[in-house]
Amino acid sequence: MANYQESAREFEKRWQEYWRENDTYRTPNPGDADFDASKKKSVILDMFPYPSGVGLHIGHPLGYIATDVKARFERMRGHNVLHSMGFDAFGLPAEQFAIQTGQHPRITTEANIENMLRQLQVIGLGHDPHRRFATTDVDYYKWTQWIFLQLFNSFYDPTVEWKGPQGQTITGRARPIAELRPLLESGEWLLDEDGVPQPKSVIGEGVKAEGKEIDRAIDRGRLAYVDEVPVNWCPMLGTVLSNEEVTNEGKSERGDYPVYKRPLKQWMLRITDYADRLVADLEGLDWPNGVVEMQKGWIGRSVGARVNFPVTTVDGADEKIAVYTTRPDTIFGATYMVLAPEHPLVDKLCAEDKKGDVAAYRAQASELKAVSAKDDAEREKTGVFIGAYATNPVTGEEIPVWIADYVLMGYGTGAIMAVPAGDQRDFEFAHKFGLPIKATTKPSESWLKDNAPADAGDLDGPALAALYEANPGSFKTAQTEIGETINSANDEVSINGLSTPDAKAKIIEWMEGKGIGRGRVQYKLRDWLFSRQRYWGEPFPVLFDKETDQVHGIAEAALPVVLPEMTDFKPQSNEDPNSEPEPPLARAKEWMEVTGIVLGDGSVLPVDAAVGSKYAHDGAEYEVRAFKRDANSMPNWAGSCWYYLRYFDAKNDAKFASDDAAAYWANSTDKDGKALPGAVDLYVGGAEHAVLHLLYSRFWHKVLFDLGYVATPEPFQKLFNQGMITADAYTDARGVYVDIHDVEMRDVDGKKVPFNAKTDEQLTTVPGKMGKRYKNGIPPEEICDQYTIDTFRTYEMYMGPLDSSKPWQSDAIVGMMRFLSNVWKVTTQMERTDSVDGKIETLVHKTIAKVTGDIADLRLNTAIAALIELTNALTKQNAVHDDHARALALMVAPFAPHLGEELMSRMASDEFGAKKSVIKFDWPEFDAEKAKDDEFEVPVQVNGKKRGSVMVAADADQATVEALAKADPNVARHLEGMQIVKVIYVAKPTPKLVNIVVRG
């Protein structure tokens, strides 16, 4: 009979063809004839991959194989398993290739997908092909656009208390935008300082919207809204860049062009409305602690205060400068104020004799400067006093008002209260312009010593503290630590002596009582900038009225909005930082121009009719108006925010998923029958997606949950971050990476040394990542061809814990092929016996118990280790019992599915003929009693040093074990002439150790 490797070369291809022909991995949905609703469900997914033109290397499939093992295991345990993979296919690489070559990005993308699918099929992944899609598929991004419209047509009400479908009480909910108008008209909702509608019960004071202001307020309150915000503008690329696309040197990552910070109108998603729920709902998820903390850190919840500083305009009118501060406890140290140069109050406050200086500074500040590697704290401070004074509301002192470019109108209120003793930028500004510095927080002794003036080095702690309190400006830096509050009292309130948290709480309470300000929760999280000036992305499903510039959503019946066919994909580029964006879509003139009618719900239905004419629709007559499309496209985050939901019902044309499918695949319970909050049972991917992808997905999911489209409040119940497979790379004398296929290891003085096989040059080894840049990525098919597919799969799972990084070692994979060869030998070549060896029976049941638990918890390397131990024990037998061989074959099957199919089709041909695949076989059950050892080997120590070991029965009492231990010949020699002081016996849960303590 042929050996394993020779046999596998034939049967691996045969079984892959069999899977395709028999649709083995199709999973039925509710409503399908073969769907069994009584089965437990398991949704097991990998993070959406981008179809790179380079394809996969051997490091990529680590997580894919792990989820495949888990999915096969759960299928064998009788679960309905949803396991598929699509592609996050919108992206810059394909668009950049299109810009360079003129080839449509869809052609490039689909070719990349085809190549990646080929590679995924090579490694035997059991994905359901009927649920596969790409974000670039028109019938997929139709639903991405539909979800955007749900955001556009909703607002968030933080006061609503409601019961979710799982019975949970929730505070805050997205509501239809039509319900906002009566709230504004009645005055239940007011406009806050930023013009955003908020419940009066939340903000206290505000402005009641009237007339056309109500329409503007409604647009401002949408979960998807247009705003002018500071962005990273790269005129040479003709697009806005995310922070991640800008280098530390302030250049574009692609092309190394200057990037400028400037305000532009962009689509924004109001993710900040969900900040509290995004933090609170992490509680019920099974996620790595590190990821949870990163999510919380990114959201950055802090409690501060919105404070009003009274000021009088040049016309004698009373005004207020509103600021937000995270440290209201330091307000007694606010000695000046700074406004952004474009702040609307500047003109009202500027003294006549300061207008020239202010105009000159504004002109200077308005000139766009390239983003610098230096942050605000490092830049030289500039500014101008505008000749006005505000009143510090807690001290009553008049403090000067300045303008400076380190305060931006797009952040916060566009104004700050400057506390130079507690903020480094304010500290430097105060020093430069001779402004007062007042201490409000007592520093630690170590800070005082580290930052003391040069002439105060000999002072002790109390003397330094006194010096700081009297003259904090003489120290080297601002003191930004929290601590005991000082110099902070007036005739009505004192916060001296309080810790920072207590001082904040007390001063906020006092200010609220006086009407000076209100406590407010603030977040580091900002609303999500959602526009890109690119072709290759989802078009926005909105239209702008050409006469009024009012934005309308497209009527849902008109979806999808399909990208126009184009041949020039390059955004308009130039060197002028003040240039206006001209995205590629703007050149599709016919596509950009739309005629349509505004329906009763405010959406626009495009129609083919002349502007100004009348158009009949659903029994009503409408005026046809002219509209223009948005020339921007959505970022590639859009399609990857919700794709896991589409797997539930991927071919549904009427909904992103039917109600029955969405409810079945999303709802799970724990062992006590309590509903779990997450829809996906297991989600595996790299830790590099720990923040943004997960945060954005959770936000979209919560909006859909609030609107009743999904059944759970969270998308992912269990998150697992797989580690990385590392590999050595090799460089030549120039430091240039050499292709791994050109590297040859040669023996030099008894050591393996890398050489370039083409040039004979000795190379330098560079340990680290695997990838295209390092030229050390090996396609998985190369390893599969050399060692078999199942060997490659099993080796990757055996290399180490799934969540750890581990180095690829080509010479070590041979051991895994040896293991599978032994499995082949045990199951196909060894004699059978009807007699049951007791020790082997125990080992089989122990192995079933361990492998079952290990696969369930993704301890896949230790599961394989247990299988190796069992296989080695079986190979030492003269003959093998059928039950033991069967158990081994079934346990190996999730790791080595081709081998599993081959073995079960041979060992149980009739059963296989009925079930059609090993994944339909029942997972082996273990007998807890049989998994117990009858006897144990117990090490025996004398004074802590091992001197022997004895075999003892599992139920042996201590006296019996001690007697056996003392009778061991080597132990007895070490006891001769010694006095036994005591015997330590570790007996639970099984006999573990005997330590005999003696003295001479």
Side-chain angles (χ1 to χ4, degrees):
M1 180 180 284
N3 65 26
Y4 163 69
Q5 188 174 13
E6 293 170 351
S7 300
R9 293 190 190 284
E10 182 275 327
F11 70 64
E12 287 184 337
K13 292 179 181 177
R14 171 163 45 85
W15 284 114
Q16 290 198 1
E17 185 62 33
Y18 176 90
W19 294 335
R20 285 190 288 273
E21 290 177 356
N22 290 273
D23 211 4
T24 300
Y25 300 112
R26 172 186 164 270
T27 297
N29 245 16
D32 292 344
D34 53 346
F35 176 73
D36 184 353
S38 67
K39 289 185 175 183
K40 185 178 179 181
K41 66 92 178 180
S42 290
V43 179
I44 300 170
L45 300 178
D46 298 277
M47 290 186 183
F48 228 15
Y50 174 75
S52 165
V54 181
L56 300 175
H57 60 62
I58 53 178
H60 287 125
L62 179 67
Y64 305 159
I65 297 171
T67 55
D68 192 62
V69 170
K70 174 77 166 171
R72 292 173 182 278
F73 166 71
E74 297 296 2
R75 288 179 190 270
M76 294 174 74
R77 294 214 292 177
H79 293 193
N80 283 328
V81 175
L82 193 160
H83 183 53
S84 191
M85 181 178 285
F87 298 94
D88 186 12
F90 281 121
L92 276 175
E95 181 155 16
Q96 186 63 18
F97 188 73
I99 290 170
Q100 293 168 352
T101 65
Q103 177 170 290
H104 198 287
R106 182 171 295 282
I107 296 173
T108 308
T109 299
E110 290 178 353
N112 293 348
I113 289 174
E114 185 177 344
N115 179 57
M116 192 167 175
L117 275 175
R118 177 189 60 79
Q119 290 188 294
L120 293 172
Q121 289 165 359
V122 163
I123 58 179
L125 300 180
H127 293 145
D128 182 348
H130 302 282
R131 298 177 187 270
R132 183 180 296 129
F133 51 82
T135 54
T136 50
D137 295 344
V138 174
D139 56 359
Y140 176 83
Y141 74 66
K142 166 187 175 179
W143 296 106
T144 305
Q145 294 171 337
W146 179 87
I147 295 172
F148 179 87
L149 286 177
Q150 307 316 301
L151 291 157
F152 178 76
N153 290 319
S154 300
F155 73 103
Y156 190 75
D157 186 343
T159 64
V160 174
E161 277 206 359
W162 58 292
K163 288 281 187 183
Q166 298 175 330
Q168 67 275 56
T169 300
I170 304 164
T171 301
R173 187 174 192 176
R175 297 173 59 182
I177 195 69
E179 296 177 8
L180 181 56
R181 181 177 294 275
L183 296 172
L184 289 165
E185 290 174 343
S186 68
E188 291 178 65
W189 280 51
L190 303 173
L191 305 184
D192 67 11
E193 297 91 338
D194 299 319
V196 178
Q198 300 281 358
K200 183 177 181 180
S201 60
V202 172
I203 62 171
E205 295 181 358
V207 176
K208 187 175 185 296
E210 303 283 0
K212 291 185 177 180
E213 226 174 27
I214 291 179
D215 292 331
R216 288 193 293 271
I218 289 172
D219 282 342
R220 184 74 170 139
R222 297 176 187 273
L223 289 177
Y225 65 99
V226 176
D227 197 14
E228 188 167 80
V229 293
V231 295
N232 299 315
W233 170 241
C234 181
M236 286 300 293
L237 291 178
T239 188
V240 170
L241 302 178
S242 67
N243 289 335
E244 292 78 16
E245 295 168 323
V246 181
T247 67
N248 290 334
E249 289 71 39
K251 301 292 184 69
S252 62
E253 188 176 50
R254 180 166 53 88
D256 201 37
Y257 299 119
V259 177
Y260 302 85
K261 187 71 76 174
R262 62 170 290 187
L264 287 175
K265 280 191 174 182
Q266 304 283 293
W267 278 102
M268 307 292 292
L269 302 188
R270 204 177 291 284
I271 189 173
T272 50
D273 282 353
Y274 281 82
D276 278 338
R277 283 171 62 184
L278 288 168
V279 171
D281 289 353
L282 289 166
E283 185 72 25
L285 305 179
D286 184 5
W287 285 19
N289 288 336
V291 175
V292 170
E293 292 308 312
M294 279 191 276
Q295 291 258 311
K296 289 179 179 178
W298 190 268
I299 294 167
R301 188 182 193 275
S302 63
V303 178
R306 183 100 172 201
V307 186
N308 294 318
F309 284 68
V311 66
T312 303
T313 69
V314 291
D315 296 331
D318 292 333
E319 285 279 3
K320 296 173 182 175
I321 300 176
V323 303
Y324 174 82
T325 174
T326 59
R327 292 289 303 275
D329 58 296
T330 65
I331 191 170
F332 285 90
T335 58
Y336 65 98
M337 301 197 76
V338 182
L339 305 182
E342 66 271 34
H343 196 291
L345 279 177
V346 173
D347 290 331
K348 295 181 180 180
L349 299 177
C350 184
E352 187 66 34
D353 62 340
K354 298 294 182 183
K355 285 185 176 180
D357 293 342
V358 167
Y361 186 79
R362 276 178 150 179
Q364 172 191 323
S366 67
E367 292 178 7
L368 290 175
K369 302 177 183 66
V371 173
S372 169
K374 296 180 178 180
D375 61 22
D376 289 338
E378 296 178 68
R379 294 191 190 123
E380 182 184 357
K381 300 300 178 287
T382 62
V384 170
F385 173 52
I386 67 172
Y389 292 84
T391 302
N392 185 321
V394 300
T395 66
E397 297 173 357
E398 288 198 334
I399 56 177
V401 180
W402 289 65
I403 58 171
D405 61 3
Y406 76 90
V407 177
L408 302 176
M409 196 62 220
Y411 291 96
T413 66
I416 64 164
M417 64 173 206
V419 183
D423 182 276
Q424 186 61 29
R425 295 178 308 170
D426 298 345
F427 184 83
E428 293 171 6
F429 193 92
H431 269 288
K432 179 168 182 178
F433 294 106
L435 296 165
I437 302 175
K438 179 181 176 182
T440 56
T441 305
K442 186 177 181 179
S444 64
E445 190 169 331
S446 61
W447 186 92
L448 289 167
K449 290 180 178 178
D450 292 342
N451 294 281
D455 58 357
D458 296 334
L459 297 180
D460 60 13
L464 281 175
L467 175 61
Y468 177 79
E469 189 166 346
N471 186 13
S474 65
F475 283 69
K476 295 176 184 176
T477 64
Q479 196 286 106
T480 58
E481 299 173 353
I482 62 173
E484 180 185 332
T485 307
I486 57 176
N487 297 332
S488 299
N490 60 29
D491 292 342
E492 296 184 22
V493 66
S494 172
I495 56 175
N496 287 331
L498 297 179
S499 66
T500 297
D502 291 344
K504 285 170 68 171
K506 186 171 181 179
I507 197 65
I508 288 172
E509 181 182 15
W510 182 80
M511 288 192 297
E512 288 181 339
K514 302 291 288 186
I516 294 168
R518 290 180 66 88
R520 180 167 292 187
V521 174
Q522 189 84 342
Y523 304 94
K524 189 171 72 175
L525 178 69
R526 293 285 178 260
D527 281 345
W528 179 6
L529 194 154
F530 203 67
S531 298
R532 294 290 184 272
Q533 292 68 45
R534 296 176 183 137
Y535 170 81
W536 194 227
E538 299 92 340
F540 281 100
V542 297
L543 292 169
F544 291 86
D545 190 300
K546 293 183 74 172
E547 182 180 337
T548 67
D549 205 34
Q550 175 67 40
V551 62
H552 298 266
I554 289 270
E556 291 182 10
L559 295 178
V561 178
V562 180
L563 283 167
E565 289 298 321
M566 298 183 69
T567 56
D568 180 6
F569 307 99
K570 188 175 183 180
Q572 187 65 40
S573 64
N574 58 64
E575 297 182 356
D576 180 8
N578 292 295
S579 60
E580 289 299 314
E582 295 182 43
L585 287 172
R587 294 195 293 275
K589 300 297 184 184
E590 289 187 16
W591 181 83
M592 286 290 295
E593 303 291 328
V594 177
T595 55
I597 57 175
V598 181
L599 302 180
D601 63 359
S603 67
V604 171
L605 180 67
V607 297
D608 185 11
V611 175
S613 65
K614 299 297 183 182
Y615 190 90
H617 174 73
D618 278 352
E621 198 172 67
Y622 300 87
E623 179 190 355
V624 178
R625 298 184 63 82
F627 299 91
K628 62 180 178 180
R629 297 193 191 274
D630 193 325
N632 295 310
S633 59
M634 299 186 200
N636 60 329
W637 296 105
S640 63
C641 273
W642 72 278
Y643 69 96
Y644 57 93
L645 293 170
R646 188 60 173 167
Y647 287 137
F648 293 174
D649 202 4
K651 304 304 179 186
N652 194 322
D653 292 331
K655 294 183 174 183
F656 68 80
S658 72
D659 294 345
D660 289 344
Y664 176 77
W665 290 115
N667 283 308
S668 294
T669 58
D670 63 16
K671 63 181 187 301
D672 298 320
K674 181 182 177 183
L676 294 171
V680 175
D681 298 290
L682 175 64
Y683 195 46
V684 174
E688 65 271 19
H689 302 297
V691 177
L692 294 181
H693 162 61
L694 294 173
L695 204 58
Y696 294 157
S697 292
R698 295 179 64 216
F699 165 50
W700 277 36
H701 191 95
K702 287 183 181 299
V703 175
L704 293 173
F705 174 70
D706 287 359
L707 298 175
Y709 295 113
V710 296
T712 64
E714 286 285 334
F716 312 117
Q717 181 59 35
K718 181 176 177 63
L719 174 70
F720 193 98
N721 296 135
Q722 90 271 11
M724 183 185 299
I725 292 180
T726 61
D728 289 341
Y730 302 93
T731 57
D732 59 20
R734 301 166 299 166
V736 175
Y737 288 101
V738 176
D739 191 290
I740 188 68
H741 297 90
D742 297 330
V743 177
E744 183 179 89
M745 304 304 291
R746 301 176 185 173
D747 285 319
V748 177
D749 298 329
K751 295 181 180 179
K752 294 287 186 182
V753 177
F755 283 81
N756 188 323
K758 292 181 176 179
T759 66
D760 287 332
E761 178 187 358
Q762 185 172 329
L763 304 174
T764 300
T765 302
V766 183
K769 293 181 179 180
M770 184 182 294
K772 175 184 175 182
R773 174 184 174 186
Y774 310 105
K775 297 186 178 179
N776 61 349
I778 303 171
E781 51 265 43
E782 284 189 22
I783 303 299
C784 293
D785 287 345
Q786 188 173 357
Y787 295 103
T788 79
I789 298 168
D790 286 338
T791 298
F792 169 70
R793 288 172 54 101
T794 310
Y795 175 64
E796 289 224 341
M797 296 300 95
Y798 184 64
M799 290 172 68
L802 184 59
D803 58 355
S804 299
S805 293
K806 44 259 175 186
W808 178 266
Q809 296 174 306
S810 295
D811 52 350
I813 196 172
V814 177
M816 197 49 53
M817 189 164 67
R818 190 179 307 118
F819 158 58
L820 295 182
S821 296
N822 284 336
V823 173
W824 178 257
K825 174 184 175 184
V826 167
T827 51
T828 67
Q829 297 173 1
M830 287 184 68
E831 295 289 333
R832 293 293 188 264
T833 179
D834 293 330
S835 62
V836 177
D837 182 297
K839 289 184 178 180
I840 292 295
E841 178 80 349
T842 296
L843 181 58
V844 167
H845 283 272
K846 286 175 66 176
T847 304
I848 295 171
K850 178 162 180 56
V851 172
T852 301
D854 283 354
I855 295 180
D857 293 333
L858 296 179
R859 297 189 299 269
L860 305 180
N861 60 318
T862 56
I864 295 171
L867 289 169
I868 292 172
E869 180 185 358
L870 174 61
T871 304
N872 289 342
L874 291 172
T875 59
K876 295 174 183 176
Q877 302 295 302
N878 294 322
V880 180
H881 194 282
D882 274 338
D883 290 349
H884 297 165
R886 178 188 175 100
L888 176 63
L890 291 174
M891 287 189 285
V892 167
F895 299 97
H898 311 82
L899 179 58
E901 300 279 21
E902 184 70 12
L903 296 180
M904 295 314 298
S905 68
R906 293 183 179 214
M907 295 165 60
S909 56
D910 290 344
E911 187 178 357
F912 191 93
K915 294 182 173 176
K916 306 300 184 186
S917 173
V918 68
I919 62 171
K920 300 292 180 64
F921 279 66
D922 292 339
W923 182 257
E925 298 285 339
F926 67 91
D927 185 325
E929 288 301 315
K930 290 182 179 180
K932 292 180 180 178
D933 287 302
D934 292 329
E935 58 180 8
F936 297 88
E937 183 178 3
V938 179
V940 182
Q941 298 176 344
V942 177
N943 286 349
K945 291 185 178 181
K946 184 178 178 182
R947 299 303 183 186
S949 61
V950 293
M951 297 302 296
V952 302
D955 58 355
D957 58 21
Q958 183 169 347
T960 301
V961 176
E962 285 187 25
L964 289 169
K966 294 172 184 176
D968 179 88
N970 192 46
V971 173
R973 280 197 299 273
H974 286 86
L975 297 180
E976 288 179 6
M978 309 296 286
Q979 178 186 351
I980 297 177
V981 177
K982 62 179 176 179
V983 177
I984 300 170
Y985 176 44
V986 181
K988 293 181 179 181
T990 57
K992 292 285 180 67
L993 175 71
V994 175
N995 183 21
I996 304 172
V997 181
V998 300
R999 63 174 173 229

